[in-house]
Amino acid sequence: MMKTYDYLKIIAQKLARKKDKEKIEEFKIKLDIFLAKDRITAEQYQELNDILEKE
């Protein structure tokens, strides 16, 4: 079974390639929720944000 972080990373990479700013912003809000509920660590959160902003 895929871990939450791995799943979110795949989604982040797909969104980054599509460069849809609206969907990226919605995804960032969801990442905030995952971070607040301790589903991902702060380091993972930052890495996912870097992926979204880099591509």
Side-chain angles (χ1 to χ4, degrees):
M1 186 171 203
M2 190 178 290
K3 295 188 180 208
T4 303
Y5 171 72
D6 295 330
Y7 179 72
L8 293 172
K9 187 173 180 180
I10 291 168
I11 294 173
Q13 290 168 340
K14 288 181 180 181
L15 286 174
R17 275 188 256 127
K18 290 182 181 179
K19 298 180 182 179
D20 184 345
K21 292 187 183 281
E22 184 177 319
K23 287 188 179 185
I24 288 174
E25 288 304 315
E26 289 175 9
F27 187 71
K28 284 182 178 182
I29 293 169
K30 290 177 184 175
L31 287 180
D32 292 339
I33 295 168
F34 276 100
L35 181 63
K37 291 187 175 187
D38 291 329
R39 302 270 196 258
I40 58 175
T41 65
E43 293 166 350
Q44 292 171 330
Y45 174 83
Q46 188 59 47
E47 185 177 332
L48 291 168
N49 272 318
D50 290 344
I51 290 170
L52 290 170
E53 292 172 6
K54 186 191 305 183
E55 296 187 29

